[in-house]
């Protein structure tokens, strides 16, 4: 049985991961999606404000989705998401980082236009193994109500 809207209550929901990020992962993602020098080249990265090779913020967003899918999204009656409320990149993603994501349910509300779903607003705190926050992301997810999920 998948988790439904009614299963989400404000407070800590869980911590998911770890997910290891290699130097090759950073360069591969950057080569295809964000080919800025600080994501591709050690010398250029050392000269940048990041002072070393770092992953793209967009890479962190993709990793958030991977860690979230593996950790809990695969087990909810998801109806998608209407967008992202806030993303903040606070510290660089480095080669060798082992990432975890702590998820907090901020609030929930029933949909005003669709009786089959509710909105669950979550805050994601992505940290490296030393506990440093790399990214914060707040987003609403749409989750089927128990009565609608049972009909599927």
């Amino acid at each position: 049985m998948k988790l439904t809207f009614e299963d989400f209550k404000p407070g800590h929901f869980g911590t998911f991961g770890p997910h290891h990020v290699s130097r090759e992962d950073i360069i591969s993602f950057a080569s295809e999606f964000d080919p800025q020098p600080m994501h591709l080249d050690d010398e250029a990265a050392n000269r940048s404000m990041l002072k070393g090779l770092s992953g793209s913020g967009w890479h962190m967003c993709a990793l958030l989705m991977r860690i979230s899918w593996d950790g809990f999204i695969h087990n909810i009656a998801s109806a998608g998401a209407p967008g992202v409320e806030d993303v903040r990149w606070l510290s660089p993603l480095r080669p060798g980082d082992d990432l975890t994501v702590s998820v907090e349910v901020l609030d929930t509300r029933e949909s005003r236009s669709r009786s089959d779903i509710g909105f669950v607003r979550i805050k994601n705190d992505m940290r490296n193994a030393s506990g440093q926050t790399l990214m914060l992301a707040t987003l609403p997810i749409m989750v089927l109500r128990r009565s609608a999920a049972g009909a599927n």
Side-chain angles (χ1 to χ4, degrees), residues 109-121:
R109 73 169 176 84
E110 297 174 7
S111 173
R112 291 184 278 277
S113 61
R114 290 185 51 191
S115 63
D116 62 331
I117 66 168
F119 292 90
V120 178
R121 197 164 65 102

Side-chain angles (χ1 to χ4, degrees), residues 3-14 16 72 76 102-109 119-125 137-141 143:
L3 297 175
T4 62
F5 171 73
E6 292 81 3
D7 296 314
F8 289 87
K9 306 293 181 223
H12 180 73
F13 180 73
F16 307 98
F72 71 98
I76 66 173
S102 179
V103 177
E104 177 185 357
V105 174
L106 298 175
D107 52 58
T108 62
R109 73 169 176 84
F119 292 90
V120 178
R121 197 164 65 102
I122 61 174
K123 180 174 126 183
N124 300 279
D125 182 344
T138 303
L139 55 129
I141 56 175
V143 182

Side-chain angles (χ1 to χ4, degrees), residues 70-141:
D70 292 344
F72 71 98
I73 292 176
H74 74 279
N75 196 37
I76 66 173
S78 175
V84 174
E85 187 176 307
D86 184 51
V87 172
R88 297 177 50 94
W89 299 315
L90 303 174
S91 297
L93 172 65
R94 301 290 189 191
D97 275 346
D98 290 307
L99 305 176
T100 58
V101 174
S102 179
V103 177
E104 177 185 357
V105 174
L106 298 175
D107 52 58
T108 62
R109 73 169 176 84
E110 297 174 7
S111 173
R112 291 184 278 277
S113 61
R114 290 185 51 191
S115 63
D116 62 331
I117 66 168
F119 292 90
V120 178
R121 197 164 65 102
I122 61 174
K123 180 174 126 183
N124 300 279
D125 182 344
M126 179 183 283
R127 294 176 180 252
N128 62 20
S130 66
Q132 181 179 31
T133 295
L134 306 184
M135 180 176 79
L136 294 173
T138 303
L139 55 129
I141 56 175

